[in-house]
C-alpha cells in the first residue's frame, strides 16, 4: 500500500467537501459575495493556491478533465505540481487544451479561447477583499459590502488618476458583479476583465489563507469600475506574438540576451501552440534572410 | 421654514450600568443655529454628542431630525443604512483629532472628493474641480491637492477635515472640540474660518467644547453640563455675561481671572 492510498478521492474527506460545496452554492446564489469557509490545511504552503485547490477538490469527479495554468502557462512549477497532485489523489485526466478541459484552475489569467457552457474556471486568490487597500478593518469592510457603500473604490481610482494621469491599476482591477457586489478578480490582469462579463463558464474564486469563496455564475454582468471621463480600458499591445503572430492577446515580454534583445510572446501557451499547429507563425519562427546566410 | 426646528431632542439619557453618562436632555435646534455644549471633562458632553449624532445609542429618549423632504424622522428607529447615508450627506462630524476624520494615506483631493464619490459622482474632472474649490474655501493652497494630510500641519488638517465634511452641503454639523490640540494663534484663525462658513452656508451646528471662548465666538446658544445633567442653558451672551448657576459663575470667573 502506498501512503496515498489512505487519502479519500481528491484528498479532502467527504464531510469537508460538503462544507466547501455549501459555501460554493451560497457564493453562486449571491454573485460576488465573499462566503467564509473553514479553509483546511493542504499539503502545500499558502500562496501556492490552497484556496483554488480546495475548490477544485470539492467539485472534481472521476470524469473531469483538469487543466492548470499559472500566468497563462501550463508548464510552470506551480501549475505542474497542482496538476500532478490531482492526478495522484483523484486519478483524473489532465490536459493543456482549454477546449478539452472541464475544470481549469488558474492563477492570473483567463484563457484566450472563449470558455463554454459546462466549463468551470477556478481562480486561486491571495487577497479577496477589494476594499482592504483603503479600509483595513474587516468589521467596516463587511458593513460597506452589506450596505453597498462603495465610494471608497472610486477613491482608489481617483488617486490613480491624480498620480498618474490615468487609471494605472492593471491587476486586481475592481468589478461590480450582477449590479450589486464589488469584487476583486485578483490577481488577474485587467486585460481579462471583459472575459468575465457574461461568460458561459462558471467562475469560482478560492482564497485559502483568507478563508473566502466567491463566484460569478454563467451569464452574469461583470462591470469594471471607472469614471465617465476616464473610462475602463484594457491593456493594448502594439506587438503581435513573436511565435504565432497573434494580435489582441495578452503578451509577456521575454528577455533574449543581455544586449537588450527581447520579444513578446503569448502568455496563454496553449493558445499559442494551437495557433502554430494551425500554420500561424510569428517573426521569430518565420524563415529570415539572416538565418539563411 | 425657519419656524420649524431642524432637530428635536427629548429626554435623552445614557447610563453605563449605574453610572450616568447624561441624563434627561431635551432641546430644539433651529436652522442656522449654533449650539455649544460646554462642560469640563467627565461632564457628559461628549457622551451626549455621541448620542445626538447616533454614534452611540442612548438608554432612553428620542431625537427627531427634519429630513430634506420636510418630514421628521426618529433617528434611533432608522435603519443603519439610512443613518449612515444621512451622516455622509446631510450631516458632518468634525473630530477633535483630524486623523480620526481624515484618510491620512490618500490625497487631500480624494479626502474632499470621497463623499461625492460615495453618493455616486462619477466624473473625475468635476470631483477634482469641486475639491479644488473647497480647498481654497478653507484656505488651503490648491497646489497641495495631491498631497496627503500626513504632510499637513495640525491647522491645515483640521481645515481639510472641515472641507471634507462640507462638500456635500450638509445642513447639520457636529463638532467635538474642533480647536482642541491646536496652538492659540491657529485656533483663532480656525474659529474665524468656521464662523464664516457657518454664516455663509446657514449651517446648524452642535459644538462640544470645554473652552468658553469657543462658545462665545461660535455659538448663539449654549448649554452647561455637569455630572451628566444640563444645569443651565440660554443665549450664549446671556449665560456668559449673567450666569445664574453657581457652577457656571465659577466657570466664567475662572476664565476671567486668567
Ligand atoms: Zn503566440
Amino acid at each position: 500500500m502506498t501512503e496515498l492510498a489512505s487519502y479519500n478521492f481528491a484528498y479532502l474527506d467527504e464531510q469537508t467537501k460538503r462544507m466547501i460545496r455549501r459555501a460554493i452554492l451560497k457564493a453562486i446564489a449571491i454573485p460576488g459575495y465573499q462566503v467564509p469557509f473553514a479553509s483546511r490545511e493542504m499539503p502545500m504552503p499558502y500562496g501556492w493556491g490552497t484556496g483554488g485547490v480546495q475548490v477544485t477538490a470539492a467539485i472534481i469527479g472521476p470524469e473531469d478533465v483538469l487543466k492548470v495554468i499559472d500566468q497563462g502557462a501550463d508548464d510552470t512549477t506551480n501549475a505542474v505540481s497542482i496538476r500532478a497532485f490531482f492526478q495522484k489523489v483523484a486519478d483524473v485526466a489532465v490536459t493543456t487544451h482549454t477546449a478539452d478541459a472541464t475544470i481549469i484552475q488558474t492563477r492570473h489569467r483567463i484563457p484566450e479561447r472563449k470558455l463554454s457552457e459546462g466549463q468551470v474556471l477556478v481562480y486561486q486568490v491571495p487577497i479577496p477583499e477589494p476594499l482592504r487597500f483603503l479600509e483595513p478593518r474587516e468589521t467596516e469592510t463587511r458593513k460597506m459590502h452589506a450596505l453597498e457603500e462603495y465610494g471608497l473604490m472610486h477613491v482608489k481610482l481617483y488617486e490613480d488618476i491624480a498620480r498618474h494621469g490615468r487609471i494605472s491599476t492593471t491587476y486586481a482591477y475592481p468589478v461590480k458583479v450582477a449590479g450589486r457586489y464589488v469584487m476583486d478578480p485578483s490577481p488577474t490582469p485587467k486585460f481579462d476583465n471583459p472575459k468575465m462579463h457574461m461568460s458561459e463558464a462558471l467562475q469560482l474564486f478560492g482564497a485559502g489563507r483568507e478563508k473566502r469563496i466567491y463566484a460569478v455564475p454563467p451569464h452574469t454582468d461583470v462591470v469594471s469600475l471607472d469614471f465617465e471621463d476616464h473610462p475602463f480600458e484594457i491593456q493594448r499591445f502594439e506587438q503581435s506574438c513573436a511565435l504565432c503572430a497573434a494580435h489582441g492577446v495578452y503578451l509577456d515580454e521575454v528577455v533574449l540576451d543581455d544586449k537588450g534583445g527581447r520579444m513578446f510572446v503569448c502568455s496563454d501557451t496553449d493558445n499559442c501552440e494551437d495557433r502554430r499547429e494551425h500554420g500561424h507563425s510569428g517573426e521569430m519562427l518565420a524563415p529570415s534572410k539572416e538565418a539563411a546566410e | 421654514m425657519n419656524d420649524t426646528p431642524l432637530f428635536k431632542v427629548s429626554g435623552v439619557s445614557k447610563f453605563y450600568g449605574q453610572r450616568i453618562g447624561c441624563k434627561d436632555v431635551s432641546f430644539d435646534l433651529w436652522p442656522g443655529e449654533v449650539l455649544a455644549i460646554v462642560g469640563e471633562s467627565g461632564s457628559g458632553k461628549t457622551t451626549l454628542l455621541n448620542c445626538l449624532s447616533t454614534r452611540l445609542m442612548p438608554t432612553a429618549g428620542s431625537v427627531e431630525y427634519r429630513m430634506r423632504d420636510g418630514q421628521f424622522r426618529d433617528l434611533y428607529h432608522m435603519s443603519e443604512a439610512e443613518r449612515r447615508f444621512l451622516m455622509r450627506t446631510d450631516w458632518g462630524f468634525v473630530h477633535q483629532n483630524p486623523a480620526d476624520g481624515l484618510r491620512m494615506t490618500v490625497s487631500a483631493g480624494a479626502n474632499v472628493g470621497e463623499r461625492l464619490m460615495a453618493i455616486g459622482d462619477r466624473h473625475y474632472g468635476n470631483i477634482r474641480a469641486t475639491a479644488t474649490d473647497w480647498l481654497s474655501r478653507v484656505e488651503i493652497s490648491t497646489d497641495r491637492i495631491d498631497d496627503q494630510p500626513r504632510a499637513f500641519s495640525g491647522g491645515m488638517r483640521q481645515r481639510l477635515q472641515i472641507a471634507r465634511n462640507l462638500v456635500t452641503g450638509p445642513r447639520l454639523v457636529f463638532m467635538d472640540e474642533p480647536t482642541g490640540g491646536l496652538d492659540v494663534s491657529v485656533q483663532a484663525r480656525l474659529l474665524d474660518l468656521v464662523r464664516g462658513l457657518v454664516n455663509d452656508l446657514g449651517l446648524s451646528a452642535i459644538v462640544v467644547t470645554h473652552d468658553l471662548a469657543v462658545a462665545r465666538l461660535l455659538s448663539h446658544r449654549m448649554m452647561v453640563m455637569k455630572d451628566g445633567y444640563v444645569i443651565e442653558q440660554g443665549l450664549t451672551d446671556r449665560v456668559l455675561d449673567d450666569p445664574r448657576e453657581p457652577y457656571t459663575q465659577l466657570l466664567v470667573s475662572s476664565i476671567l481671572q486668567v
Side-chain angles (χ1 to χ4, degrees):
Chain A
M1 291 288 275
T2 66
E3 194 194 339
L4 283 170
S6 60
Y7 289 123
N8 192 32
F9 176 80
Y11 189 78
L12 295 174
D13 62 77
E14 292 304 313
Q15 198 185 333
T16 300
K17 285 191 212 169
R18 275 197 294 275
M19 176 273 292
I20 295 174
R21 286 176 199 144
R22 274 198 296 272
I24 292 171
L25 287 173
K26 186 170 178 185
I28 292 169
I30 317 170
Y33 172 72
Q34 299 168 47
V35 181
F37 81 110
S39 184
R40 292 287 194 262
E41 292 291 326
M42 297 302 283
M44 58 196 72
Y46 286 124
W48 286 82
T50 55
V53 167
Q54 289 178 81
V55 168
T56 298
I59 62 169
I60 203 165
E63 305 304 316
D64 274 309
V65 180
L66 179 68
K67 172 182 164 79
V68 182
I69 48 174
D70 180 6
Q71 303 275 14
D74 297 85
D75 57 359
T76 64
T77 315
N78 195 23
V80 168
S81 69
I82 290 173
R83 201 161 55 227
F85 173 76
F86 280 109
Q87 276 181 295
K88 246 186 219 172
V89 300
D91 194 28
V92 291
V94 296
T95 184
T96 58
H97 297 309
T98 299
D100 297 340
T102 56
I103 299 173
I104 301 167
Q105 182 170 329
T106 181
R107 190 165 78 110
H108 293 119
R109 289 299 320 284
I110 299 175
E112 303 290 357
R113 172 188 281 270
K114 192 167 171 285
L115 299 179
S116 53
E117 192 182 326
Q119 290 187 300
V120 183
L121 186 59
V122 177
Y123 297 76
Q124 305 166 202
V125 175
I127 298 169
E129 179 49 71
L131 295 161
R132 185 170 302 167
F133 173 77
L134 291 169
E135 181 51 75
R137 292 170 298 176
E138 194 182 328
T139 47
E140 188 63 17
T141 56
R142 232 183 269 176
K143 196 167 281 178
M144 290 165 144
H145 282 294
L147 301 178
E148 217 177 333
E149 291 179 5
Y150 289 128
L152 211 47
M153 287 316 315
H154 276 87
V155 169
K156 184 173 184 289
L157 300 179
Y158 173 99
E159 288 291 85
D160 256 13
I161 303 171
R163 254 182 243 153
H164 307 286
R166 63 193 163 80
I167 299 176
S168 60
T169 301
T170 52
Y171 287 85
Y173 192 105
V175 293
K176 192 166 221 181
V177 180
R180 176 58 180 87
Y181 284 94
V182 167
M183 182 186 94
D184 188 344
S186 88
T188 313
K190 69 176 177 182
F191 181 87
D192 287 336
N193 277 19
K195 295 184 187 137
M196 309 178 92
H197 176 62
M198 296 305 260
S199 172
E200 288 178 25
L202 168 64
Q203 303 174 76
L204 301 176
F205 301 77
R209 193 186 53 224
E210 303 273 339
K211 304 180 171 57
R212 291 288 185 279
I213 286 172
Y214 49 105
V216 176
H219 308 289
T220 301
D221 275 326
V222 178
V223 177
S224 302
L225 304 183
D226 61 5
F227 286 102
E228 289 158 17
D229 47 344
H230 288 269
F232 172 78
E233 285 176 344
I234 61 170
Q235 295 103 318
R236 304 230 173 261
F237 297 91
E238 286 166 22
Q239 305 84 352
S240 56
C241 172
L243 301 177
C244 77
H247 264 296
V249 296
Y250 195 82
L251 299 176
D252 288 332
E253 188 176 349
V254 178
V255 175
L256 293 173
D257 51 44
D258 55 7
K259 299 182 191 73
R262 57 197 187 130
M263 64 173 182
F264 287 88
V265 297
C266 287
S267 135
D268 184 336
T269 53
D270 169 60
N271 193 56
C272 194
E273 281 161 22
D274 186 60
R275 282 176 53 83
R276 276 179 276 151
E277 278 166 24
H278 284 83
H280 298 278
S281 89
E283 55 190 21
M284 281 296 288
L285 296 182
S288 73
K289 280 181 193 165
E290 283 167 27
E293 277 165 10
Chain B
M1 283 300 257
N2 273 15
D3 54 358
T4 316
L6 185 64
F7 199 68
K8 296 197 283 193
V9 178
S10 144
V12 167
S13 302
K14 177 72 184 176
F15 300 101
Y16 299 98
Q18 298 285 4
R19 201 166 62 78
I20 294 173
C22 59
K23 178 91 192 287
D24 205 18
V25 177
S26 302
F27 66 90
D28 289 344
L29 185 75
W30 301 79
E33 185 181 35
V34 179
L35 172 73
I37 302 173
V38 173
E40 296 173 296
S41 74
S43 63
K45 62 187 191 302
T46 300
T47 298
L48 176 61
L49 182 75
N50 287 334
C51 287
L52 298 179
S53 60
T54 73
R55 295 156 57 82
L56 195 63
M57 281 295 140
T59 314
S62 74
V63 177
E64 287 181 279
Y65 180 68
R66 182 158 56 77
M67 308 293 281
R68 288 188 188 230
D69 64 5
Q71 300 298 307
F72 278 97
R73 295 287 307 276
D74 184 341
L75 295 177
Y76 303 135
H77 289 94
M78 272 182 167
S79 72
E80 188 177 21
E82 285 178 298
R83 253 196 332 260
R84 284 171 67 111
F85 183 75
L86 191 66
M87 287 170 99
R88 65 172 186 263
T89 54
D90 214 20
W91 288 6
F93 195 105
V94 176
H95 297 262
Q96 174 175 4
N97 179 2
D100 294 339
L102 292 172
R103 294 195 188 278
M104 298 302 280
T105 57
V106 307
S107 68
N111 264 288
V112 178
E114 179 173 346
R115 275 175 165 232
L116 298 174
M117 295 181 248
I119 58 173
D121 201 327
R122 293 290 174 264
H123 192 285
Y124 174 84
N126 293 349
I127 293 164
R128 197 168 171 84
T130 307
T132 304
D133 179 46
W134 269 103
L135 289 182
S136 59
R137 289 177 84 165
V138 297
E139 298 165 13
I140 293 174
S141 168
T142 54
D143 61 11
R144 304 298 301 273
I145 189 167
D146 293 328
D147 293 347
Q148 295 181 0
R150 286 190 291 197
F152 288 5
S153 69
M156 278 173 78
R157 288 179 185 184
Q158 197 57 295
R159 281 179 274 136
L160 181 63
Q161 191 190 183
I162 288 164
R164 173 178 160 88
N165 273 281
L166 297 186
V167 69
T168 50
R171 296 185 299 158
L172 174 60
V173 178
F174 300 95
M175 299 187 201
D176 184 13
E177 304 275 10
T179 57
L182 297 175
D183 293 341
V184 175
S185 62
V186 179
Q187 283 188 19
R189 186 178 168 197
L190 187 74
L191 284 172
D192 273 350
L193 178 80
V194 169
R195 192 163 56 164
L197 287 169
V198 165
N199 282 336
D200 292 349
L201 301 169
L203 287 176
S204 302
I206 296 175
V207 184
V208 156
T209 182
H210 70 282
D211 186 341
L212 294 181
V214 170
R216 170 81 93 183
L217 273 168
L218 285 185
S219 72
H220 305 108
R221 207 149 53 93
M222 63 181 279
M223 301 194 315
V224 179
M225 289 190 73
K226 183 174 186 295
D227 302 329
Y229 291 85
V230 175
I231 57 156
E232 179 161 6
Q233 57 179 311
L235 295 175
T236 300
D237 288 343
R238 199 284 294 158
V239 174
L240 292 179
D241 296 339
D242 179 23
R244 289 175 192 168
E245 291 294 319
Y247 176 76
T248 314
Q249 290 166 0
L250 194 69
L251 278 183
V252 171
S253 64
S254 67
I255 289 265
L256 295 176
Q257 281 164 9
V258 173

